[in-house]
Amino acid sequence: MRHTAAKALAAVMTLTAATALAACTSADTSAPAAPSGLTAQAGSATSVHVMWRSPAPEDGVTGFLLFQADRLVRELPAGKTMVDIADLTPQTAYSFTVRARDAAGNTSAPSAAASATTPVAKAEDRRAPTAPSSATGRALGPTSARLTWAAADDDSGVTSYDIHQGGVRIHTAGPAQTETTLDGLQPDTVYTFTVRARDAADNSSPDSPPVDVTTPAGAGGRPNTAPAEFTAAASPGAVTLSWTAPDTGRETSEYELYVNGAPTTVIQFGIGAVPAGRAEHRLTVTEPAGTVWSVKLRARLPDGNWGAFSAERRIVLTS
């Protein structure tokens, strides 16, 4: 009797524990919100650039599914909200939608559709457009900026303008546009943008002159900590860096220099040698002439942390 009662009690406890566990680990069946702001822009006669905005972080999006008409054409991770669709047919209309997916596999409703028509292909067009001759920019807030540029010329017609930052294309605008808004930026950050024109044969122009834009700190954030007006000039066997120190409330005596995306050295000014206002530092280089450097730096703050990066400058070493 006692043995039978113990078995019955164990069975009840097991069932209760299993029910509690199931309640605690109930399946996630809530789909994320649909992506918004989908745009599609023909980049050439055979490609379209598609961009969108991710749902809010609390939706737990882990990836995106991009559809051309009803056909899945790309699966992308959560951090990627733009893509080029290539190998398309010239002079053809295409329609795209995008869906968000979470870790449980739930898929959102489709976004609003965006359409683009690829232009006519130009046979044997090997001439690139001219570079946009000027460009300006300004921050609209902690996470967005407005960029304006001069129109480029091309013998077969410009089909798009590509915006680059840090060597990466981050946005594509239409052929009739000479300004655009860039979203998804970081507060308290210096960005260096350039614009390239592209034609139907996928020929890209040289870069426009670079444009520095500094986003302000967010609500309750610290003042801007990036070194300002940063320049880099190559001379035989040397590189001279110059900048204006950030206003941190104290003298700034230590800066970390990055070359081609990697920390390279720490520049330190001794007691009594900290420059007032404009700072300058000369580096001796041994790399061969023609070597390309992308350089930027950041200051050590009074709290011991590193501040925001300066604008990045691209230079070619000389002999």
Side-chain angles (χ1 to χ4, degrees):
M1 257 322 258
R2 184 175 299 172
H3 181 66
T4 302
K7 287 179 66 177
L9 178 60
V12 170
M13 290 178 66
T14 300
L15 179 61
T16 302
T19 302
L21 180 62
C24 291
T25 59
S26 58
D28 176 8
T29 59
S30 178
S36 61
L38 184 72
T39 61
Q41 172 62 51
S44 69
T46 58
S47 67
V48 170
H49 185 70
V50 186
M51 300 178 62
W52 60 92
R53 289 192 293 272
S54 178
E58 53 266 28
D59 280 1
V61 172
T62 58
F64 297 102
L65 306 176
L66 182 67
F67 292 81
Q68 187 265 304
D70 295 324
R71 182 172 66 92
L72 177 65
V73 292
R74 287 288 191 281
E75 293 191 37
L76 300 161
K80 193 170 178 63
T81 56
M82 67 176 71
V83 68
D84 283 308
I85 306 300
D87 301 321
L88 302 178
T89 303
Q91 210 172 359
T92 303
Y94 291 92
S95 179
F96 299 92
T97 56
V98 64
R99 296 172 182 254
R101 185 167 58 188
D102 64 19
N106 301 306
T107 302
S108 75
S111 67
S115 299
T117 300
T118 51
V120 177
K122 302 291 185 180
E124 297 301 321
D125 179 6
R126 298 182 181 179
R127 181 182 297 177
T130 62
S133 58
S134 64
T136 59
R138 61 185 177 90
L140 299 179
T143 61
S144 63
R146 190 74 174 168
L147 198 63
T148 304
W149 58 91
D153 293 321
D154 185 71
D155 57 342
S156 62
V158 171
T159 58
S160 61
Y161 290 96
D162 296 326
I163 316 302
H164 289 250
Q165 194 279 320
V168 177
R169 176 157 53 96
I170 62 167
H171 186 73
T172 295
Q177 291 181 251
T178 54
E179 62 179 10
T180 193
T181 298
L182 305 172
D183 296 313
L185 306 181
Q186 297 297 312
D188 188 24
T189 301
V190 180
Y191 290 94
T192 300
F193 301 109
T194 57
V195 184
R196 298 178 192 172
R198 193 155 34 127
D199 65 20
D202 250 346
N203 299 310
S204 288
S205 76
D207 284 333
S208 71
V211 178
D212 292 342
V213 175
T214 302
T215 54
R222 64 190 183 190
N224 189 271
T225 59
E229 300 168 322
F230 178 56
T231 65
S235 58
V239 170
T240 301
L241 309 174
S242 180
W243 65 92
T244 299
D247 183 7
T248 63
R250 298 185 194 173
E251 287 186 332
T252 305
S253 61
E254 193 172 356
Y255 296 86
E256 186 177 36
L257 176 67
Y258 276 59
V259 176
N260 295 335
T264 302
T265 189
V266 173
I267 301 168
Q268 291 181 313
F269 296 97
I271 296 174
V274 179
R278 195 80 181 151
E280 185 172 294
H281 182 76
R282 183 179 172 90
L283 297 168
T284 299
V285 297
T286 58
E287 284 83 351
T291 301
V292 178
W293 275 12
S294 292
V295 293
K296 60 184 178 180
L297 52 77
R298 57 183 180 174
R300 177 82 76 181
L301 304 181
D303 66 2
N305 292 321
W306 292 108
F309 278 108
S310 70
E312 188 171 72
R313 301 300 182 215
R314 183 179 182 274
I315 56 174
V316 180
L317 304 187
T318 62
S319 57

